[in-house]
Amino acid sequence: QVQLVESGGGSVQAGGSLRLSCAASGGTVSRPCMGWFRQLPAKEREGVASIDSYGSTTYSDSVKGRFTISRDNAKNTLYLQMNSLKPEDTATYYCAAEDRWRCAGAYRQPDQYNRWGQGTQVTVSS
């Protein structure tokens, strides 16, 4: 069973940067589709970014140009570089993986993934 462990969250001032990491362990993940999501208690989980089995990336309009998703396949680690952070980026961020099959294209819906991290809090102050 693949487990995802997130790190890198914290509190930052508007305009600052954070880099989130998601380390996969407990199994072999071969070219998975992976994504980053964020959620506030009163809102649905929002797909922020995805990277498919072939390395193609997609982003939500709200973060495009500011966030970058990437992965190191050798280390089984997913990253989210977040720059120019805004207060509205404040949320709990989750990484996710679909390890049942390869995928292509935009995968930013929660039900498209079967493995989830525990979440890491990102707080951006104005």
mmCIF file of all heavy atoms in Angstrom, residues 93-126:
data_model
loop_
_atom_site.group_PDB
_atom_site.id
_atom_site.type_symbol
_atom_site.label_atom_id
_atom_site.label_comp_id
_atom_site.label_asym_id
_atom_site.label_seq_id
_atom_site.Cartn_x
_atom_site.Cartn_y
_atom_site.Cartn_z
ATOM 1 N N TYR A 93 -3.572 21.695 2.289
ATOM 2 C CA TYR A 93 -3.166 21.161 0.995
ATOM 3 C C TYR A 93 -2.911 19.663 1.104
ATOM 4 O O TYR A 93 -2.258 19.192 2.043
ATOM 5 C CB TYR A 93 -1.910 21.869 0.488
ATOM 6 C CG TYR A 93 -2.187 23.240 -0.071
ATOM 7 C CD1 TYR A 93 -2.528 24.293 0.766
ATOM 8 C CD2 TYR A 93 -2.126 23.476 -1.446
ATOM 9 C CE1 TYR A 93 -2.813 25.549 0.249
ATOM 10 C CE2 TYR A 93 -2.398 24.728 -1.966
ATOM 11 C CZ TYR A 93 -2.743 25.761 -1.111
ATOM 12 O OH TYR A 93 -3.015 27.011 -1.625
ATOM 13 N N TYR A 94 -3.416 18.921 0.126
ATOM 14 C CA TYR A 94 -3.289 17.478 0.082
ATOM 15 C C TYR A 94 -2.640 17.052 -1.226
ATOM 16 O O TYR A 94 -2.966 17.581 -2.284
ATOM 17 C CB TYR A 94 -4.657 16.798 0.165
ATOM 18 C CG TYR A 94 -5.447 17.100 1.414
ATOM 19 C CD1 TYR A 94 -6.273 18.223 1.486
ATOM 20 C CD2 TYR A 94 -5.379 16.254 2.511
ATOM 21 C CE1 TYR A 94 -7.005 18.499 2.622
ATOM 22 C CE2 TYR A 94 -6.117 16.524 3.656
ATOM 23 C CZ TYR A 94 -6.927 17.647 3.703
ATOM 24 O OH TYR A 94 -7.654 17.908 4.835
ATOM 25 N N CYS A 95 -1.749 16.089 -1.148
ATOM 26 C CA CYS A 95 -1.269 15.459 -2.359
ATOM 27 C C CYS A 95 -2.040 14.177 -2.588
ATOM 28 O O CYS A 95 -2.571 13.570 -1.650
ATOM 29 C CB CYS A 95 0.246 15.185 -2.306
ATOM 30 S SG CYS A 95 0.765 13.968 -1.085
ATOM 31 N N ALA A 96 -2.119 13.767 -3.831
ATOM 32 C CA ALA A 96 -2.892 12.594 -4.196
ATOM 33 C C ALA A 96 -2.210 11.859 -5.336
ATOM 34 O O ALA A 96 -1.508 12.468 -6.151
ATOM 35 C CB ALA A 96 -4.314 12.988 -4.600
ATOM 36 N N ALA A 97 -2.433 10.560 -5.384
ATOM 37 C CA ALA A 97 -1.878 9.728 -6.442
ATOM 38 C C ALA A 97 -2.918 8.746 -6.936
ATOM 39 O O ALA A 97 -3.723 8.235 -6.157
ATOM 40 C CB ALA A 97 -0.643 8.977 -5.950
ATOM 41 N N GLU A 98 -2.906 8.499 -8.220
ATOM 42 C CA GLU A 98 -3.692 7.440 -8.837
ATOM 43 C C GLU A 98 -2.707 6.382 -9.308
ATOM 44 O O GLU A 98 -2.007 6.587 -10.307
ATOM 45 C CB GLU A 98 -4.519 7.989 -10.003
ATOM 46 C CG GLU A 98 -5.142 6.913 -10.897
ATOM 47 C CD GLU A 98 -5.974 5.924 -10.113
ATOM 48 O OE1 GLU A 98 -7.108 6.268 -9.727
ATOM 49 O OE2 GLU A 98 -5.470 4.795 -9.875
ATOM 50 N N ASP A 99 -2.622 5.287 -8.562
ATOM 51 C CA ASP A 99 -1.632 4.258 -8.858
ATOM 52 C C ASP A 99 -2.245 2.981 -9.429
ATOM 53 O O ASP A 99 -1.559 1.960 -9.528
ATOM 54 C CB ASP A 99 -0.790 3.936 -7.624
ATOM 55 C CG ASP A 99 -1.589 3.371 -6.465
ATOM 56 O OD1 ASP A 99 -2.819 3.202 -6.588
ATOM 57 O OD2 ASP A 99 -0.976 3.100 -5.420
ATOM 58 N N ARG A 100 -3.496 3.020 -9.812
ATOM 59 C CA ARG A 100 -4.146 1.855 -10.389
ATOM 60 C C ARG A 100 -3.884 1.743 -11.886
ATOM 61 O O ARG A 100 -3.914 0.643 -12.439
ATOM 62 C CB ARG A 100 -5.661 1.907 -10.141
ATOM 63 C CG ARG A 100 -6.034 1.793 -8.680
ATOM 64 C CD ARG A 100 -7.511 2.045 -8.474
ATOM 65 N NE ARG A 100 -7.868 3.426 -8.752
ATOM 66 C CZ ARG A 100 -9.094 3.920 -8.626
ATOM 67 N NH1 ARG A 100 -10.088 3.133 -8.240
ATOM 68 N NH2 ARG A 100 -9.325 5.201 -8.896
ATOM 69 N N TRP A 101 -3.627 2.851 -12.515
ATOM 70 C CA TRP A 101 -3.407 2.865 -13.955
ATOM 71 C C TRP A 101 -2.710 4.166 -14.344
ATOM 72 O O TRP A 101 -2.665 5.124 -13.585
ATOM 73 C CB TRP A 101 -4.736 2.736 -14.712
ATOM 74 C CG TRP A 101 -5.820 3.614 -14.175
ATOM 75 C CD1 TRP A 101 -5.908 4.969 -14.264
ATOM 76 C CD2 TRP A 101 -6.988 3.176 -13.465
ATOM 77 N NE1 TRP A 101 -7.048 5.412 -13.644
ATOM 78 C CE2 TRP A 101 -7.730 4.330 -13.153
ATOM 79 C CE3 TRP A 101 -7.461 1.926 -13.068
ATOM 80 C CZ2 TRP A 101 -8.926 4.280 -12.465
ATOM 81 C CZ3 TRP A 101 -8.654 1.866 -12.369
ATOM 82 C CH2 TRP A 101 -9.379 3.031 -12.085
ATOM 83 N N ARG A 102 -2.171 4.172 -15.530
ATOM 84 C CA ARG A 102 -1.600 5.391 -16.066
ATOM 85 C C ARG A 102 -2.710 6.335 -16.503
ATOM 86 O O ARG A 102 -3.819 5.910 -16.812
ATOM 87 C CB ARG A 102 -0.675 5.085 -17.241
ATOM 88 C CG ARG A 102 0.552 4.273 -16.870
ATOM 89 C CD ARG A 102 1.404 3.953 -18.086
ATOM 90 N NE ARG A 102 2.563 3.148 -17.731
ATOM 91 C CZ ARG A 102 3.442 2.691 -18.592
ATOM 92 N NH1 ARG A 102 3.306 2.951 -19.890
ATOM 93 N NH2 ARG A 102 4.468 1.958 -18.181
ATOM 94 N N CYS A 103 -2.390 7.607 -16.536
ATOM 95 C CA CYS A 103 -3.384 8.585 -16.920
ATOM 96 C C CYS A 103 -2.752 9.632 -17.815
ATOM 97 O O CYS A 103 -1.533 9.799 -17.851
ATOM 98 C CB CYS A 103 -4.021 9.248 -15.694
ATOM 99 S SG CYS A 103 -2.901 10.278 -14.731
ATOM 100 N N ALA A 104 -3.610 10.338 -18.528
ATOM 101 C CA ALA A 104 -3.166 11.400 -19.415
ATOM 102 C C ALA A 104 -4.164 12.540 -19.348
ATOM 103 O O ALA A 104 -5.376 12.323 -19.266
ATOM 104 C CB ALA A 104 -3.031 10.895 -20.849
ATOM 105 N N GLY A 105 -3.647 13.751 -19.365
ATOM 106 C CA GLY A 105 -4.493 14.922 -19.363
ATOM 107 C C GLY A 105 -4.708 15.494 -17.974
ATOM 108 O O GLY A 105 -3.967 15.217 -17.034
ATOM 109 N N ALA A 106 -5.746 16.305 -17.866
ATOM 110 C CA ALA A 106 -6.044 16.996 -16.624
ATOM 111 C C ALA A 106 -6.763 16.075 -15.653
ATOM 112 O O ALA A 106 -7.870 15.613 -15.927
ATOM 113 C CB ALA A 106 -6.886 18.233 -16.912
ATOM 114 N N TYR A 107 -6.141 15.824 -14.517
ATOM 115 C CA TYR A 107 -6.717 15.019 -13.449
ATOM 116 C C TYR A 107 -6.766 15.888 -12.200
ATOM 117 O O TYR A 107 -5.858 15.864 -11.372
ATOM 118 C CB TYR A 107 -5.892 13.764 -13.214
ATOM 119 C CG TYR A 107 -6.357 12.553 -13.993
ATOM 120 C CD1 TYR A 107 -6.429 12.582 -15.374
ATOM 121 C CD2 TYR A 107 -6.713 11.381 -13.336
ATOM 122 C CE1 TYR A 107 -6.851 11.478 -16.093
ATOM 123 C CE2 TYR A 107 -7.131 10.269 -14.042
ATOM 124 C CZ TYR A 107 -7.203 10.323 -15.420
ATOM 125 O OH TYR A 107 -7.617 9.214 -16.130
ATOM 126 N N ARG A 108 -7.831 16.637 -12.051
ATOM 127 C CA ARG A 108 -7.962 17.538 -10.914
ATOM 128 C C ARG A 108 -9.285 17.371 -10.191
ATOM 129 O O ARG A 108 -9.757 18.300 -9.534
ATOM 130 C CB ARG A 108 -7.774 18.998 -11.354
ATOM 131 C CG ARG A 108 -6.411 19.286 -11.975
ATOM 132 C CD ARG A 108 -6.035 20.757 -11.862
ATOM 133 N NE ARG A 108 -7.078 21.630 -12.388
ATOM 134 C CZ ARG A 108 -7.210 21.958 -13.666
ATOM 135 N NH1 ARG A 108 -6.355 21.487 -14.571
ATOM 136 N NH2 ARG A 108 -8.187 22.760 -14.037
ATOM 137 N N GLN A 109 -9.870 16.191 -10.287
ATOM 138 C CA GLN A 109 -11.067 15.855 -9.538
ATOM 139 C C GLN A 109 -10.713 14.857 -8.448
ATOM 140 O O GLN A 109 -9.978 13.902 -8.702
ATOM 141 C CB GLN A 109 -12.149 15.276 -10.444
ATOM 142 C CG GLN A 109 -12.638 16.224 -11.519
ATOM 143 C CD GLN A 109 -13.288 17.464 -10.932
ATOM 144 O OE1 GLN A 109 -14.026 17.378 -9.947
ATOM 145 N NE2 GLN A 109 -13.019 18.609 -11.528
ATOM 146 N N PRO A 110 -11.212 15.048 -7.226
ATOM 147 C CA PRO A 110 -10.836 14.149 -6.124
ATOM 148 C C PRO A 110 -11.117 12.678 -6.392
ATOM 149 O O PRO A 110 -10.321 11.823 -5.980
ATOM 150 C CB PRO A 110 -11.688 14.671 -4.954
ATOM 151 C CG PRO A 110 -11.908 16.117 -5.263
ATOM 152 C CD PRO A 110 -12.052 16.169 -6.756
ATOM 153 N N ASP A 111 -12.223 12.360 -7.073
ATOM 154 C CA ASP A 111 -12.571 10.963 -7.276
ATOM 155 C C ASP A 111 -11.716 10.280 -8.329
ATOM 156 O O ASP A 111 -11.902 9.092 -8.597
ATOM 157 C CB ASP A 111 -14.061 10.803 -7.611
ATOM 158 C CG ASP A 111 -14.475 11.536 -8.874
ATOM 159 O OD1 ASP A 111 -13.610 12.103 -9.561
ATOM 160 O OD2 ASP A 111 -15.690 11.538 -9.172
ATOM 161 N N GLN A 112 -10.782 10.985 -8.916
ATOM 162 C CA GLN A 112 -9.855 10.395 -9.865
ATOM 163 C C GLN A 112 -8.626 9.806 -9.182
ATOM 164 O O GLN A 112 -7.791 9.196 -9.858
ATOM 165 C CB GLN A 112 -9.417 11.433 -10.897
ATOM 166 C CG GLN A 112 -10.552 11.899 -11.809
ATOM 167 C CD GLN A 112 -10.118 12.999 -12.760
ATOM 168 O OE1 GLN A 112 -9.610 14.032 -12.333
ATOM 169 N NE2 GLN A 112 -10.332 12.777 -14.054
ATOM 170 N N TYR A 113 -8.516 9.957 -7.871
ATOM 171 C CA TYR A 113 -7.348 9.508 -7.119
ATOM 172 C C TYR A 113 -7.743 8.522 -6.038
ATOM 173 O O TYR A 113 -8.841 8.604 -5.471
ATOM 174 C CB TYR A 113 -6.621 10.701 -6.496
ATOM 175 C CG TYR A 113 -6.034 11.639 -7.520
ATOM 176 C CD1 TYR A 113 -6.771 12.691 -8.028
ATOM 177 C CD2 TYR A 113 -4.736 11.444 -7.978
ATOM 178 C CE1 TYR A 113 -6.233 13.544 -8.971
ATOM 179 C CE2 TYR A 113 -4.192 12.290 -8.928
ATOM 180 C CZ TYR A 113 -4.942 13.342 -9.421
ATOM 181 O OH TYR A 113 -4.404 14.182 -10.361
ATOM 182 N N ASN A 114 -6.827 7.611 -5.736
ATOM 183 C CA ASN A 114 -7.103 6.595 -4.723
ATOM 184 C C ASN A 114 -6.127 6.603 -3.555
ATOM 185 O O ASN A 114 -6.279 5.804 -2.624
ATOM 186 C CB ASN A 114 -7.127 5.196 -5.358
ATOM 187 C CG ASN A 114 -5.760 4.741 -5.844
ATOM 188 O OD1 ASN A 114 -4.953 5.535 -6.315
ATOM 189 N ND2 ASN A 114 -5.501 3.437 -5.732
ATOM 190 N N ARG A 115 -5.141 7.483 -3.573
ATOM 191 C CA ARG A 115 -4.185 7.598 -2.483
ATOM 192 C C ARG A 115 -4.042 9.058 -2.109
ATOM 193 O O ARG A 115 -3.875 9.924 -2.970
ATOM 194 C CB ARG A 115 -2.820 7.011 -2.878
ATOM 195 C CG ARG A 115 -2.842 5.522 -3.174
ATOM 196 C CD ARG A 115 -2.948 4.711 -1.895
ATOM 197 N NE ARG A 115 -2.869 3.285 -2.161
ATOM 198 C CZ ARG A 115 -3.921 2.499 -2.334
ATOM 199 N NH1 ARG A 115 -5.152 2.993 -2.250
ATOM 200 N NH2 ARG A 115 -3.749 1.210 -2.568
ATOM 201 N N TRP A 116 -4.082 9.327 -0.794
ATOM 202 C CA TRP A 116 -4.061 10.699 -0.300
ATOM 203 C C TRP A 116 -3.089 10.865 0.846
ATOM 204 O O TRP A 116 -2.914 9.962 1.672
ATOM 205 C CB TRP A 116 -5.454 11.113 0.170
ATOM 206 C CG TRP A 116 -6.440 11.223 -0.945
ATOM 207 C CD1 TRP A 116 -7.214 10.224 -1.467
ATOM 208 C CD2 TRP A 116 -6.745 12.407 -1.683
ATOM 209 N NE1 TRP A 116 -7.986 10.721 -2.491
ATOM 210 C CE2 TRP A 116 -7.721 12.047 -2.640
ATOM 211 C CE3 TRP A 116 -6.298 13.724 -1.627
ATOM 212 C CZ2 TRP A 116 -8.256 12.979 -3.538
ATOM 213 C CZ3 TRP A 116 -6.826 14.645 -2.519
ATOM 214 C CH2 TRP A 116 -7.790 14.268 -3.454
ATOM 215 N N GLY A 117 -2.470 12.033 0.890
ATOM 216 C CA GLY A 117 -1.661 12.394 2.033
ATOM 217 C C GLY A 117 -2.514 12.885 3.175
ATOM 218 O O GLY A 117 -3.741 13.011 3.067
ATOM 219 N N GLN A 118 -1.867 13.182 4.287
ATOM 220 C CA GLN A 118 -2.585 13.596 5.491
ATOM 221 C C GLN A 118 -2.954 15.071 5.486
ATOM 222 O O GLN A 118 -3.772 15.505 6.302
ATOM 223 C CB GLN A 118 -1.736 13.288 6.732
ATOM 224 C CG GLN A 118 -0.639 14.300 7.044
ATOM 225 C CD GLN A 118 0.571 14.223 6.139
ATOM 226 O OE1 GLN A 118 0.643 13.396 5.235
ATOM 227 N NE2 GLN A 118 1.547 15.095 6.374
ATOM 228 N N GLY A 119 -2.380 15.829 4.588
ATOM 229 C CA GLY A 119 -2.640 17.245 4.501
ATOM 230 C C GLY A 119 -1.607 18.065 5.254
ATOM 231 O O GLY A 119 -1.074 17.644 6.274
ATOM 232 N N THR A 120 -1.335 19.246 4.745
ATOM 233 C CA THR A 120 -0.437 20.170 5.406
ATOM 234 C C THR A 120 -1.027 21.573 5.301
ATOM 235 O O THR A 120 -1.532 21.969 4.252
ATOM 236 C CB THR A 120 0.982 20.103 4.804
ATOM 237 O OG1 THR A 120 1.866 20.947 5.544
ATOM 238 C CG2 THR A 120 0.996 20.522 3.341
ATOM 239 N N GLN A 121 -0.975 22.308 6.392
ATOM 240 C CA GLN A 121 -1.632 23.610 6.458
ATOM 241 C C GLN A 121 -0.750 24.693 5.862
ATOM 242 O O GLN A 121 0.444 24.789 6.167
ATOM 243 C CB GLN A 121 -1.975 23.964 7.908
ATOM 244 C CG GLN A 121 -2.641 25.323 8.076
ATOM 245 C CD GLN A 121 -4.008 25.387 7.433
ATOM 246 O OE1 GLN A 121 -4.758 24.402 7.455
ATOM 247 N NE2 GLN A 121 -4.352 26.533 6.861
ATOM 248 N N VAL A 122 -1.358 25.512 5.019
ATOM 249 C CA VAL A 122 -0.707 26.691 4.461
ATOM 250 C C VAL A 122 -1.527 27.906 4.857
ATOM 251 O O VAL A 122 -2.728 27.968 4.578
ATOM 252 C CB VAL A 122 -0.583 26.606 2.931
ATOM 253 C CG1 VAL A 122 -0.085 27.934 2.351
ATOM 254 C CG2 VAL A 122 0.351 25.477 2.537
ATOM 255 N N THR A 123 -0.890 28.845 5.515
ATOM 256 C CA THR A 123 -1.556 30.062 5.941
ATOM 257 C C THR A 123 -0.802 31.263 5.383
ATOM 258 O O THR A 123 0.400 31.406 5.618
ATOM 259 C CB THR A 123 -1.622 30.157 7.473
ATOM 260 O OG1 THR A 123 -2.303 29.018 8.000
ATOM 261 C CG2 THR A 123 -2.353 31.422 7.898
ATOM 262 N N VAL A 124 -1.510 32.114 4.664
ATOM 263 C CA VAL A 124 -0.922 33.295 4.044
ATOM 264 C C VAL A 124 -1.581 34.525 4.649
ATOM 265 O O VAL A 124 -2.791 34.707 4.538
ATOM 266 C CB VAL A 124 -1.090 33.289 2.523
ATOM 267 C CG1 VAL A 124 -0.367 34.492 1.913
ATOM 268 C CG2 VAL A 124 -0.568 31.991 1.930
ATOM 269 N N SER A 125 -0.797 35.359 5.278
ATOM 270 C CA SER A 125 -1.308 36.556 5.920
ATOM 271 C C SER A 125 -1.106 37.765 5.023
ATOM 272 O O SER A 125 -0.135 37.848 4.259
ATOM 273 C CB SER A 125 -0.621 36.788 7.264
ATOM 274 O OG SER A 125 0.783 36.936 7.103
ATOM 275 N N SER A 126 -2.020 38.720 5.119
ATOM 276 C CA SER A 126 -1.943 39.925 4.317
ATOM 277 C C SER A 126 -1.082 40.978 4.978
ATOM 278 O O SER A 126 -0.728 40.876 6.155
ATOM 279 C CB SER A 126 -3.340 40.477 4.045
ATOM 280 O OG SER A 126 -3.984 40.810 5.251
#
